[in-house]
């Protein structure tokens, strides 16, 4: 017999954080997703295909306002949109998306979990929103029964073949022991590990033509495995640039006559632009436009092309049989916005250990 702990995932996206927590399941206990929320139809379809049809398609305000939420949950997860204070965005403090953490707080207040986990960009920890979250845990406030711990965690230290540093806030009931950071793994993985077994030669540029009905809408998919091993359309000029970049190189290796005009006068700045991944190192952070090497170090280590959707999903820790819905661009956005599964698993193991030590088993089933 092992205890079951219910999980609700807010701003669930394609389900990366949920997938990571489920990988933490063991004889010590089992996480079971019972509800999730996302307003993007492709992301919701992806989540439902992998975890069940309990996903609410719509805004978190509608979810809360319509009483679609369960009575309680043991763990609440969520990564409210971060564009308003991301280093890659305009860092507009008035961005309405910044306020979505308030709905996260409201949901935690209604569900009264034993633990909650909030994931976001590093800048969140220095934001007014994070300060307000801490104030929400003060006496007389909506989360007065909780205390929070704040960390910046690098996913490569938890088994992901990717350097991705994220802000993690863990809330626990007041009076419970401090959790501290999750235990780091001794196993460090690199790009070579992630791409093991994949054919480096890629010719396909389009996903198969396939659609399915989801909540009355036709969405592309599902797609799995090698169906996602597709590259982008690029020009002969781009191909010449790719070919000029040696292993480990970047835009500074491109001959002058092949440089874009903006690069000819700009010979400083990031060395990751038009860079090749290193076989023996973790990748850079996989973002939503990983298929554009002009955005970062997203060229294959030896092939003259950007990394494929399948390669990016592996760098995020997704298994090849994960089911994806959406266009190429939508799936790329889902992959880039996800939490690396290895980091999610480490957080899940951390929470599961705390649950097994500090809480009664509650509902039990046969293992």
């Amino acid at each position: 017999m092992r205890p079951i702990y219910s999980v609700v995932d807010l701003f669930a996206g394609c389900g990366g954080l949920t997938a990571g927590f489920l990988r933490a399941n063991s004889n010590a206990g089992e996480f079971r997703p019972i509800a999730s929320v996302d307003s993007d139809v492709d992301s919701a379809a992806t989540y439902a295909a992998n975890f069940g049809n309990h996903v609410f398609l719509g805004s978190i305000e509608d979810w809360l306002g319509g009483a679609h939420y369960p009575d309680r949950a043991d763990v609440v997860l969520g990564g409210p949109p971060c564009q308003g204070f991301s280093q890659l965005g305009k860092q507009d403090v008035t961005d309405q998306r910044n306020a979505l953490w308030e709905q996260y707080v409201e949901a935690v207040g209604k569900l009264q979990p034993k633990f909650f986990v909030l994931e976001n960009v590093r800048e969140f920890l220095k934001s007014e929103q994070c300060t307000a979250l801490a104030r929400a845990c003060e006496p007389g406030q909506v989360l007065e029964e909780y205390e929070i711990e704040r960390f910046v965690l690098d996913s490569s230290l938890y088994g992901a073949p990717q350097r991705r540093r994220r802000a993690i806030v863990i809330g626990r009931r007041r009076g419970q022991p401090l959790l501290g950071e999750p235990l780091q793994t001794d196993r460090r993985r690199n790009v070579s590990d992630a791409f093991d077994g994949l054919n480096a030669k890629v010719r396909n540029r389009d996903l198969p033509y396939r659609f399915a009905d989801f909540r009355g809408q036709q969405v592309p998919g599902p797609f799995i495995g090698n169906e996602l091993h597709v590259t982008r359309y690029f020009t002969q000029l781009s191909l010449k640039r790719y070919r000029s970049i040696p292993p480990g190189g970047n835009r500074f290796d491109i001959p002058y006559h092949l440089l874009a005009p903006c690069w000819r006068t700009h010979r400083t700045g990031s060395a990751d632009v038009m860079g090749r991944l290193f076989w023996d190192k973790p990748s850079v952070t996989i973002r939503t436009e990983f298929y554009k090497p002009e955005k970062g170090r997203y060229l294959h280590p030896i092939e003259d092309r950007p990394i494929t959707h399948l390669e990016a999903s592996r760098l995020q820790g997704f298994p090849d049989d994960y089911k994806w819905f959406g266009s190429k661009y939508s799936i790329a956005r889902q992959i880039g916005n996800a939490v690396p599964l290895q980091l999610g698993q480490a957080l899940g193991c951390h929470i599961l250990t705390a649950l097994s030590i500090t809480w009664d088993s509650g509902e039990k089933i046969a293992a």
Side-chain angles (χ1 to χ4, degrees):
M1 302 288 289
R2 62 180 177 181
I4 295 173
Y5 299 107
S6 57
V7 176
V8 171
D9 194 347
L10 310 175
F11 314 101
C14 66
L17 199 49
T18 290
F21 264 66
L22 295 189
R23 285 175 52 159
N25 287 346
S26 67
N27 289 333
E30 175 185 343
F31 291 117
R32 180 173 294 177
I34 60 170
S36 69
V37 184
D38 204 272
S39 60
D40 177 69
V41 63
D42 295 339
S43 299
T46 296
Y47 180 99
N50 291 284
F51 305 109
N53 206 32
H54 53 259
V55 59
F56 177 81
L57 174 59
S59 70
I60 188 170
E61 294 94 336
D62 289 343
W63 183 71
L64 289 167
H68 299 284
Y69 53 89
D71 293 335
R72 298 186 73 85
D74 292 312
V75 181
V76 172
L77 311 176
C82 60
Q83 289 87 345
F85 36 79
S86 169
Q87 281 187 322
L88 295 180
K90 297 179 180 179
Q91 294 186 297
D92 180 3
V93 295
T94 65
D95 192 316
Q96 293 183 346
R97 291 170 294 189
N98 290 357
L100 289 175
W101 70 271
E102 295 176 358
Q103 279 72 50
Y104 180 93
V105 168
E106 182 181 350
V108 170
K110 290 179 180 296
L111 296 171
Q112 290 293 296
K114 298 177 175 69
F115 292 94
F116 64 86
V117 179
L118 188 150
E119 175 271 344
N120 221 295
V121 295
R122 288 176 289 167
E123 292 72 27
F124 176 77
L125 296 187
K126 299 179 181 179
S127 70
E128 294 180 4
Q129 289 77 15
C130 189
T131 301
L133 174 62
R135 286 200 298 266
C137 297
E138 294 175 352
Q141 301 302 310
V142 63
L143 299 184
E144 64 178 347
E145 297 182 14
Y146 294 91
E147 297 175 300
I148 60 173
E149 298 175 63
R150 291 166 270 196
F151 313 102
V152 174
L153 303 181
D154 183 344
S155 60
S156 69
L157 302 179
Y158 296 93
Q162 175 193 170
R163 294 191 307 275
R164 189 186 190 102
R165 301 183 70 208
R166 301 293 284 182
I168 302 294
V169 178
I170 299 178
R172 70 186 190 285
R173 291 291 182 88
R174 191 171 296 279
Q176 295 295 330
L178 287 168
L179 271 70
E181 293 187 6
L183 291 175
Q184 298 177 8
T185 179
D186 294 330
R187 172 78 164 98
R188 299 289 187 266
R189 300 179 69 239
N190 54 36
V191 171
S192 179
D193 295 324
F195 292 2
D196 184 44
L198 285 181
N199 184 358
K201 301 292 184 182
V202 177
R203 305 190 188 283
N204 291 336
R205 286 173 167 75
D206 294 304
L207 296 171
Y209 187 79
R210 183 184 304 139
F211 289 82
D213 179 83
F214 181 72
R215 308 288 173 83
Q217 300 185 53
Q218 290 293 300
V219 292
F223 309 111
I224 61 170
N226 280 328
E227 293 179 326
L228 294 174
H229 207 29
V230 293
T231 189
R232 73 182 296 194
Y233 285 89
F234 45 78
T235 65
Q236 285 300 308
L237 176 57
S238 293
L239 181 58
K240 290 178 182 178
R241 288 172 178 159
Y242 301 161
R243 286 174 174 170
S244 71
I245 300 172
N250 52 44
R251 68 181 175 93
F252 298 122
D253 295 295
I254 300 174
Y256 183 84
H257 70 281
L258 294 178
L259 288 173
C262 61
W263 291 346
R264 291 178 179 177
T265 57
H266 186 62
R267 301 297 294 172
T268 59
S270 174
D272 280 338
V273 172
M274 295 292 286
R276 289 191 182 277
L277 292 171
F278 297 91
W279 279 126
D280 59 350
K281 297 180 181 179
S283 78
V284 297
T285 299
I286 298 302
R287 306 193 190 278
T288 58
E289 294 186 309
F290 58 79
Y291 50 88
K292 295 181 178 180
E294 62 270 24
K295 298 286 187 177
R297 190 173 289 275
Y298 297 132
L299 284 175
H300 189 274
I302 57 173
E303 291 295 309
D304 298 323
R305 59 169 176 81
I307 58 173
T308 68
H309 287 52
L310 179 57
E311 289 165 341
S313 70
R314 282 195 175 193
L315 291 170
Q316 286 278 55
F318 288 100
D320 289 357
D321 61 356
Y322 206 78
K323 300 178 180 67
W324 299 91
F325 281 87
S327 66
K328 280 175 63 176
Y329 306 104
S330 173
I331 293 174
R333 185 181 70 251
Q334 294 173 54
I335 292 171
N337 282 332
V339 177
L341 270 64
Q342 292 88 348
L343 178 57
Q345 181 178 2
L347 290 167
C349 290
H350 202 43
I351 298 296
L352 193 59
T353 298
L355 284 165
S356 65
I357 293 174
T358 60
W359 296 91
D360 294 333
S361 297
E363 179 188 1
K364 292 181 182 287
I365 61 169

